[in-house]
Amino acid sequence: MALPNGPVTTSSEAEAVLFDLVDVYERAYEAAAAELSLSPAQACVLGRLDERRGMGALAEELGCDASNITQIVARLEALGLVTREPNPRDRRARLVARTPRGDEINHRFTTAFTFARTAVGRLSPDEQDQLTALLRKALS
Amino acid sequence: MALPNGPVTTSSEAEAVLFDLVDVYERAYEAAAAELSLSPAQACVLGRLDERRGMGALAEELGCDASNITQIVARLEALGLVTREPNPRDRRARLVARTPRGDEINHRFTTAFTFARTAVGRLSPDEQDQLTALLRKALS
DNA sequence: TTCATTACTTGATTGAATCAAGGAATATTG
DNA sequence: CAATATTCCTTGATTCAATCAAGTAATGAA
């Protein structure tokens, strides 16, 4: 379990709740991945493969080094969740795609990761809209 | 940089904004730590030492194995940011405390980690209260 | 006093992340 | 077209986080 990333002392209640949210979110994500014997990074990459993608595209989207993706995809491949096919249009490149088993595991993961759904579900539709608007403004 | 932990496809806008928030928060935390050549975990532990604490207390608070704390504290100690003093009341235990330099670095970290402050600051006091209430409800 | 428990450390292992360097294919440009 | 640069990815090395099993030393309880 990754350590929480948050200040202990916050100057406002809103900040404290933000920190709580991030912490609980992360733990829930990690727990859902762990249920399927996946690391968070593996679950993350697997989740980006609704469409087949090149290694470089994954790295750019996830904001990390390509060699990091090489590593993670290699483990997913060893687990039989992903394939690395040659790209017919560019023989330097590889196209990563989920296997049927990868699809299944990914589906089970999205089912197991209920946190965001559940949290949002505690709010009425109006409240959900308010939350969306407030967070958008806060993030702008 | 840790990979983002979020589903690509979300069933509601609120969920998507939650994911964005978590992602941006994490990256900001990591960036602030990196500015001071700290890992997120090191920044986290350093931040919990406003009061001196035992290793076990840190582990419990952070929800991880004691040996993980041993490791992280050892690195902080090597950096001169923390001391491990014997606990006079229990010679098995150690009390971890920030050094003056640790205080300074921790202060610089909390200054550098502006994300939550800035995000909340974009909202009016009323909006901050609304956000707090909504998130509390969502997290309940 | 014996025995269990607590507090922490050590050692081993796995995996994420980053960097430097390199191979192979493609793109550029002279 | 040939030479060069660039892109795409991999490999190897390193650092650190995290977990587990095992161990030491001190405390507490029977």
Side-chain angles (χ1 to χ4, degrees), chain B residues 103-138:
Chain B
D103 284 333
E104 188 206 330
I105 296 287
N106 184 58
H107 181 259
R108 282 165 61 187
F109 174 77
T110 60
T111 303
F113 180 61
T114 57
F115 171 76
R117 258 193 315 280
T118 305
V120 167
R122 291 197 185 94
L123 305 178
S124 73
D126 268 9
E127 288 172 327
Q128 293 182 23
D129 291 345
Q130 287 169 35
L131 178 63
T132 304
L134 286 170
L135 287 182
R136 285 227 178 93
K137 185 171 181 185

Side-chain angles (χ1 to χ4, degrees), chain A residues 113-129:
Chain A
F113 180 63
T114 57
F115 171 76
R117 257 193 315 282
T118 305
V120 167
R122 294 197 184 94
L123 305 178
S124 72
D126 267 10
E127 289 172 327
Q128 293 182 23
D129 290 345

Side-chain angles (χ1 to χ4, degrees), chain B residues 9-133:
Chain B
T9 54
T10 46
S11 43
S12 81
E13 284 192 84
E15 284 179 51
V17 179
L18 275 192
F19 160 55
D20 259 19
L21 172 74
V22 172
D23 188 31
V24 177
Y25 185 108
E26 291 290 334
R27 287 177 189 274
Y29 192 93
E30 206 165 323
E35 272 183 42
L36 299 164
S37 303
L38 295 177
S39 70
Q42 288 166 354
C44 172
V45 169
L46 203 58
R48 308 277 158 156
L49 293 173
D50 290 341
E51 312 286 332
R52 61 169 54 175
R53 263 186 174 66
M55 309 285 291
L58 282 168
E60 191 180 0
E61 186 179 342
L62 299 175
C64 72
D65 196 273
S67 63
N68 196 10
I69 297 295
T70 297
Q71 232 180 9
I72 294 165
V73 166
R75 290 191 187 106
L76 288 172
E77 196 179 25
L79 293 169
L81 305 180
V82 135
T83 58
R84 260 185 305 193
E85 304 161 7
N87 184 337
R89 306 187 147 203
D90 183 343
R91 287 185 309 179
R92 295 169 297 183
R94 304 282 195 96
L95 288 173
V96 189
R98 283 198 300 251
T99 61
R101 175 132 186 87
D103 284 333
E104 188 206 330
I105 296 287
N106 184 58
H107 181 259
R108 282 165 61 187
F109 174 77
T110 60
T111 303
F113 180 61
T114 57
F115 171 76
R117 258 193 315 280
T118 305
V120 167
R122 291 197 185 94
L123 305 178
S124 73
D126 268 9
E127 288 172 327
Q128 293 182 23
D129 291 345
Q130 287 169 35
L131 178 63
T132 304

Side-chain angles (χ1 to χ4, degrees), chain A residues 1-3 54-56 66-67 70 84 90 92-94:
Chain A
M1 189 77 75
L3 299 190
M55 310 284 291
S67 63
T70 296
R84 262 185 303 194
D90 183 343
R92 295 168 297 182
R94 303 282 195 98

